[in-house]
Amino acid sequence: MAVHRIIQPSRRYVSVFLLFSAVLNMASAVTHYSIPEEMEEGSIVANLATDLGLDMKTLSNRKIRLDTIANKKYVDVNKDTGEMYIAEKIDRELLCNIKTATCFLKMEVVLENPLRIFNIELEIMDINDNAPQFRRDTIHLDISESTPLGERFSLSNAVDPDIGANSVKTYHLSESHHFGIEIQTGRDGSKFADLILKKALDREKQAFQNLILTAVDSGVPTRSGTASIIVHVLDTNDNAPYFEKESFRLNVPENSPIGNLVVKLNATDLDEGSNAEVIYSYSLYTSEKTQGTFKLNPDSGEITVKEMINYEDFRIYDMEVIATDKGTNSLSGQCKITILVTDMNDNHPEISIKSFQSPIKEDIAVDTVIAVVSVSDKDSGENGIVDIHIADELPFALRESSDNYYELVVSETLDREKVPEYDITFTVTDGGSPPLSDNETMTLELLDVNDNVPLFPQSFYTMPVMENNAPGALLSSLTAFDPDLHENQYLVYFIIEKEIVNTSISMLFSINPENGNLYALKTFDYEIEKEFIFHIEARDSGVPPLSSNVTVHIIIVDQNDNTPVIVSPWRVHGSVVEEKIPRSTDKGSLVSKVIAIDTDSVQNSRITYQFLQVTDATLFSLDQYNGDIRTMRMFSYRDPRHQRLVVIAKDNGEPALSATVTIKLLTVETAVKAYSDMTEVPLEYDIFSDLNLYLVIGLGSVSFLLLITILVTCVLKCQKPMPSKAAPPSRNSVISERNSTIADSTLVSNDAYWYSMFLAETRKGKLVVRQPVPKAGSRYIVSSLPRSTGLTETSDSAASTLQYPK
């Protein structure tokens, strides 16, 4: 007994259509089931317990199982319910042969206690799960354009793994004017298509055609596959070569050079390959004279001049050219050519240099003749008229002297330094059409003349030089330039001689005559000389020589190389000064005044004062700028009688230099009559007093200045007026001026700081404040009262003058 069930997939159970048929098969019954492929895993196929008549109560104890002959276990049975279900998705095309009409999966149902075996078979039914597919995605066809209509071309068929209605049913071709398809059925029932030519092909219009072939099955839903058909249309020699024009008329000048191109013929063949390759040749209608005069290139179609063409010999050439392709059945085309020879101006004008003067001096006079040339032309008429000219920018001109003779003259002043030589090109042109010309170039060289003075880059040089320089030190290099040549540009440098402070400038500086290096010959001292101004001349070696000079300003830069000198209070022996002051001196009274001078420059000579030591710091104060020592309070009985003050005077240089003075003050009970501070009074003449020899030695550093000071003092002493009664007489007076001579015991600095300088108060005298000298610019008079034996006594003394250098 065979049981047949056709199983269709459902959500839980599969609907079963049970067909019973009595089949006798080796004394055993086979249960048959049918299911579609690709059922989902877990889908129920059937209930074996029900179909096989098994007791559900004892089913679990009998250990029901399924034994499958296949390699994979596609179905399994539930041991409790007896339901057979899909264990793995089944692909019919993979399980069975594609071409097999039926596909079965045979299994055995095994039960124990007691042992029983049931045979079952599961038929796998096909579904349309595969689309038709071509073996090649692209089909290439080479079809000659001469193929007759109705010709068939076999195409590879599409393959569909499905069977029956799910396999390939028909083919479709994309729209085409030239092709169609015809569907054929094979012995095995497979479908294939033939490509049929419906309309004649023309490669020259369309060399390629792209078609789409579609294979469609009859399954539900319908599936399809496509392939691209590329038709390459093969050429046939069905087009003859042709020229752009059937006839050509050309003009060729006589005397055209051999090989000169007359015309390049171009025949076109629409075919391809060898069918389009063209060979050119003369026809039988072309004369031997023409073929001997003009050469035809068979490959390129170029017609060139083969022999010299003369208008007077032959004026018209006729020829016929044939273009033939290289196809199997060659085709050809032809054209006619007429060549007209035109008369030409075939004689060039000629130029002849009769005389030419080179080189010449650059200072040659304007209008001087430097060359004579002649021109000629063998042609006649307009072709024989010759014109000659040179470039307009040249400083020369052509002047006709006689028929066909010309002179070259200088038209502008020449300058070798701007243009050392000229290339003069004589160009001759005839009147032909087109005109012929010729030229000849001559080189004119200019000789140098010494017409340029040496030039310095600057007209004025300022050079700072630090004092205390080493003798022979290089200060700078002054180089001039002379654009002339040879000896005219060889320069010699020297210093223009002059005297500075009775000293020749050549004793102070020297210059290398060859390279202009300037050197210092001595060590300079800012306190003696502050600047030098002189001239340096550069002279060439031309004839006559030319020269120029430049001004050099040497500025000596100060160094802080002078220590401040304390000039007040005056120290006779050593550095200790003893002074007496009354103990009754009021607070703020001027006790003493320290004055120091520094011969350095303004910045380095600024003096400041400080106490180094003081017996009682609460008793005295020191003004750091003017050196005034004043009492800060009155003396008391507890203050010692002796007071010791050490004052340092320090300049403003780098590094700073200093000097010290020690002042010993003795307080006395006796009243000391002091001069009151003198007010500013006008002085008609300078009044001088004796200058202590030690002060002169301390301040003066050069002996000859002392002699000058003595002479000036003697002259002033003879002219000294009587002292005025309006104010106490002044023994020491000084006229202080920037950069001037200083008289008596007062010295001056170069800065306005010293314009308010005071002389130190002495034991028996006081200072007189500064007062300007009328109409003296920046002058100031500083007067001081002299030391004397009495408190109120004044006396005149010989005046002396101390010159303070700049």
Side-chain angles (χ1 to χ4, degrees):
M1 178 72 66
V3 180
H4 296 272
R5 292 180 182 270
I6 301 176
I7 309 300
Q8 297 297 331
S10 63
R11 297 181 58 186
R12 175 57 182 164
Y13 291 95
V14 180
S15 300
V16 179
F17 174 71
L18 182 61
L19 298 176
F20 294 95
S21 61
V23 177
L24 181 61
N25 185 15
M26 300 296 291
S28 65
V30 177
T31 304
H32 182 86
Y33 297 95
S34 296
I35 64 170
E37 62 175 329
E38 304 290 342
M39 287 182 65
E40 297 294 332
E41 296 178 4
S43 299
I44 303 301
V45 177
N47 192 314
L48 296 179
T50 304
D51 294 340
L52 298 178
L54 301 177
D55 187 2
M56 296 292 295
K57 298 178 181 180
T58 62
L59 185 62
S60 59
N61 295 329
R62 299 189 67 179
K63 300 180 180 179
I64 187 172
R65 71 175 185 272
L66 272 177
D67 290 339
T68 307
I69 300 175
N71 294 330
K72 291 184 179 182
K73 193 170 185 178
Y74 291 101
V75 294
D76 204 352
V77 63
N78 189 316
K79 293 178 175 56
D80 296 327
T81 64
E83 292 176 338
M84 185 172 59
Y85 62 89
I86 302 297
E88 184 176 343
K89 185 179 290 188
I90 301 172
D91 187 351
R92 177 189 174 282
E93 290 75 28
L94 182 63
L95 179 63
C96 302
N97 192 315
I98 298 176
K99 298 300 181 180
T100 303
T102 59
C103 179
F104 293 97
L105 183 63
K106 295 182 178 182
M107 297 171 288
E108 291 180 347
V109 180
V110 180
L111 295 97
E112 298 179 0
N113 302 321
L115 177 64
R116 288 192 66 181
I117 298 175
F118 298 93
N119 293 321
I120 66 173
E121 63 180 10
L122 184 62
E123 182 181 2
I124 309 302
M125 301 175 66
D126 182 51
I127 65 173
N128 192 22
D129 58 343
N130 292 281
Q133 186 176 2
F134 290 90
R135 293 183 178 87
R136 291 180 297 174
D137 294 334
T138 304
I139 302 172
H140 292 273
L141 295 177
D142 292 336
I143 303 176
S144 174
E145 63 176 328
S146 61
T147 301
L149 299 180
E151 187 74 18
R152 292 174 177 271
F153 301 93
S154 296
L155 302 175
S156 60
N157 62 317
V159 177
D160 193 330
D162 297 325
I163 61 174
N166 296 329
S167 63
V168 177
K169 178 182 179 181
T170 185
Y171 293 89
H172 301 290
L173 183 68
S174 60
E175 183 178 356
S176 174
H177 297 290
H178 295 85
F179 295 96
I181 60 171
E182 184 176 305
I183 301 172
Q184 303 289 336
T185 303
R187 293 181 180 179
D188 58 354
S190 61
K191 303 289 185 179
F192 59 89
D194 288 339
L195 188 67
I196 301 174
L197 181 63
K198 299 188 302 181
K199 184 179 180 181
L201 299 175
D202 190 348
R203 188 205 62 82
E204 288 71 34
K205 293 182 179 180
Q206 189 174 4
F208 292 91
Q209 292 194 30
N210 292 323
L211 307 176
I212 302 298
L213 180 62
T214 304
V216 182
D217 62 21
S218 57
V220 179
T222 303
R223 295 180 181 272
S224 62
T226 61
S228 176
I229 302 174
I230 299 178
V231 178
H232 178 210
V233 182
L234 301 179
D235 182 54
T236 58
N237 192 21
D238 57 347
N239 291 279
Y242 64 93
F243 293 90
E244 297 177 0
K245 295 188 297 183
E246 293 183 357
S247 63
F248 295 87
R249 191 176 184 88
L250 306 174
N251 293 321
V252 177
E254 67 170 330
N255 301 323
S256 294
I258 304 299
N260 187 51
L261 179 66
V262 176
V263 66
K264 185 179 186 306
L265 298 176
N266 184 23
T268 303
D269 194 320
L270 298 179
D271 295 323
E272 66 176 1
S274 60
N275 297 330
E277 296 180 5
V278 178
I279 298 177
Y280 301 90
S281 61
Y282 285 123
S283 71
L284 298 177
Y285 298 104
T286 305
S287 66
E288 293 183 359
K289 171 66 176 176
T290 301
Q291 294 185 33
T293 307
F294 298 96
K295 179 181 178 181
L296 174 61
N297 189 311
D299 296 322
S300 64
E302 293 180 348
I303 298 178
T304 56
V305 177
K306 188 176 181 180
E307 290 183 354
M308 184 64 67
I309 303 173
N310 194 333
Y311 174 80
E312 289 72 25
D313 294 339
F314 218 82
R315 300 182 182 183
I316 300 176
Y317 294 88
D318 291 318
M319 63 183 71
E320 185 179 63
V321 176
I322 298 176
T324 307
D325 62 28
K326 296 181 179 180
T328 303
N329 298 316
S330 61
L331 303 176
S332 63
Q334 61 274 343
C335 71
K336 293 182 179 181
I337 301 173
T338 301
I339 296 178
L340 303 177
V341 180
T342 58
D343 188 22
M344 295 295 296
N345 181 26
D346 53 352
N347 290 288
H348 289 262
E350 297 178 354
I351 182 171
S352 176
I353 307 297
K354 300 302 181 182
S355 66
F356 187 78
Q357 181 182 354
S358 179
I360 61 174
K361 290 186 177 182
E362 62 175 319
D363 62 347
I364 189 171
V366 175
D367 223 24
T368 302
V369 178
I370 59 175
V372 176
V373 298
S374 67
V375 296
S376 62
D377 194 322
K378 295 179 181 179
D379 292 325
S380 60
E382 291 292 331
N383 295 335
I385 298 175
V386 179
D387 175 63
I388 181 172
H389 65 275
I390 60 175
D392 295 336
E393 62 270 13
L394 294 175
F396 307 101
L398 284 170
R399 184 172 59 193
E400 187 174 4
S401 59
S402 60
D403 290 342
N404 296 330
Y405 276 85
Y406 296 87
E407 294 176 342
L408 181 68
V409 298
V410 179
S411 60
E412 299 176 13
T413 303
L414 305 180
D415 189 349
R416 188 208 61 81
E417 287 71 34
K418 294 181 179 179
V419 183
E421 66 178 21
Y422 293 91
D423 289 331
I424 305 174
T425 300
F426 299 93
T427 302
V428 288
T429 306
D430 62 21
S433 178
L436 297 179
S437 62
D438 196 4
N439 61 74
E440 187 164 346
T441 300
M442 306 295 292
T443 300
L444 176 64
E445 182 182 354
L446 300 184
L447 298 177
D448 184 52
V449 176
N450 191 26
D451 56 349
N452 291 278
V453 298
L455 297 176
F456 286 92
Q458 301 173 219
S459 61
F460 191 89
Y461 288 85
T462 300
M463 304 178 189
V465 178
M466 190 68 68
E467 69 170 328
N468 302 319
N469 60 290
L474 176 65
L475 302 183
S476 181
S477 180
L478 290 80
T479 304
F481 171 73
D482 194 323
D484 291 323
L485 288 179
H486 308 307
E487 67 275 0
N488 295 332
Q489 72 171 174
Y490 297 149
L491 302 181
V492 179
Y493 302 89
F494 57 89
I495 299 175
I496 299 177
E497 190 61 45
K498 66 178 291 188
E499 287 191 0
I500 298 178
V501 194
N502 297 325
T503 303
S504 174
I505 193 66
S506 60
M507 300 298 292
L508 302 176
F509 303 95
S510 70
I511 191 169
N512 189 317
E514 295 181 356
N515 57 25
N517 288 345
L518 182 64
Y519 301 91
L521 297 181
K522 60 167 290 186
T523 300
F524 296 110
D525 189 349
Y526 174 84
E527 287 72 36
I528 298 177
E529 54 262 328
K530 291 181 174 55
E531 63 180 10
F532 301 94
I533 298 178
F534 55 91
H535 300 282
I536 291 178
E537 181 175 310
R539 180 182 300 167
D540 62 28
S541 302
V543 178
L546 300 177
S547 63
S548 65
N549 60 66
V550 66
T551 302
V552 179
H553 182 198
I554 303 294
I555 299 175
I556 307 302
V557 180
D558 180 49
Q559 285 183 332
N560 191 28
D561 56 348
N562 291 281
T563 303
V565 177
I566 296 177
V567 298
S568 177
W570 176 245
R571 298 161 291 173
V572 179
H573 300 291
S575 61
V576 178
V577 177
E578 294 184 355
E579 300 282 353
K580 292 182 180 181
I581 61 173
R583 292 185 66 86
S584 60
T585 302
D586 294 333
K587 173 183 176 181
S589 298
L590 181 65
V591 175
S592 183
K593 184 178 184 67
V594 179
I595 297 179
I597 63 171
D598 193 322
T599 57
D600 286 322
S601 65
V602 175
Q603 188 65 22
N604 295 329
S605 64
R606 295 181 183 274
I607 306 297
T608 57
Y609 303 92
Q610 294 176 352
F611 278 133
L612 280 182
Q613 296 179 9
V614 60
T615 304
D616 189 346
T618 66
L619 189 55
F620 301 101
S621 65
L622 173 62
D623 191 307
Q624 63 173 338
Y625 297 112
N626 59 25
D628 287 350
I629 301 176
R630 296 181 181 273
T631 57
M632 297 175 63
R633 60 179 175 80
M634 294 185 65
F635 289 96
S636 67
Y637 68 91
R638 293 188 182 89
D639 295 326
R641 296 185 59 193
H642 294 277
Q643 299 286 335
R644 184 173 182 271
L645 309 176
V646 179
V647 179
I648 180 172
K650 185 185 299 183
D651 63 22
N652 196 39
E654 286 292 338
L657 303 178
S658 63
T660 60
V661 60
T662 302
I663 302 174
K664 289 184 177 180
L665 296 178
L666 175 62
T667 59
V668 296
E669 299 297 337
T670 306
V672 179
K673 183 178 180 181
Y675 291 100
S676 60
D677 293 344
M678 297 181 65
T679 59
E680 295 185 2
V681 293
L683 294 181
E684 185 176 356
Y685 301 99
D686 296 341
I687 304 175
F688 300 91
S689 64
D690 293 332
L691 184 63
N692 190 291
L693 179 60
Y694 295 104
L695 178 59
V696 175
I697 295 175
L699 299 178
S701 60
V702 183
S703 60
F704 77 91
L705 295 177
L706 180 60
L707 297 176
I708 296 175
T709 302
I710 295 174
L711 292 175
V712 174
T713 303
C714 293
V715 172
L716 295 177
K717 186 176 180 181
C718 295
Q719 298 177 355
K720 180 182 68 176
M722 293 299 291
S724 173
K725 295 181 181 181
S730 174
R731 285 190 174 182
N732 297 339
S733 62
V734 177
I735 298 177
S736 174
E737 181 184 5
R738 277 183 173 270
N739 305 330
S740 63
T741 302
I742 302 174
D744 203 15
S745 61
T746 303
L747 294 98
V748 69
S749 168
N750 291 333
D751 192 81
Y753 170 75
W754 288 105
Y755 291 168
S756 59
M757 180 184 72
F758 291 91
L759 294 178
E761 180 186 25
T762 60
R763 290 183 182 177
K764 299 177 181 179
K766 282 192 174 180
L767 293 173
V768 178
V769 298
R770 59 178 181 157
Q771 63 183 25
V773 177
K775 300 180 181 180
S778 59
R779 297 188 178 186
Y780 295 89
I781 297 176
V782 182
S783 302
S784 65
L785 294 178
R787 296 189 181 93
S788 62
T789 55
L791 294 177
T792 60
E793 181 183 357
T794 61
S795 61
D796 297 337
S797 61
S800 62
T801 302
L802 174 63
Q803 181 177 359
Y804 177 62
K806 293 182 179 180

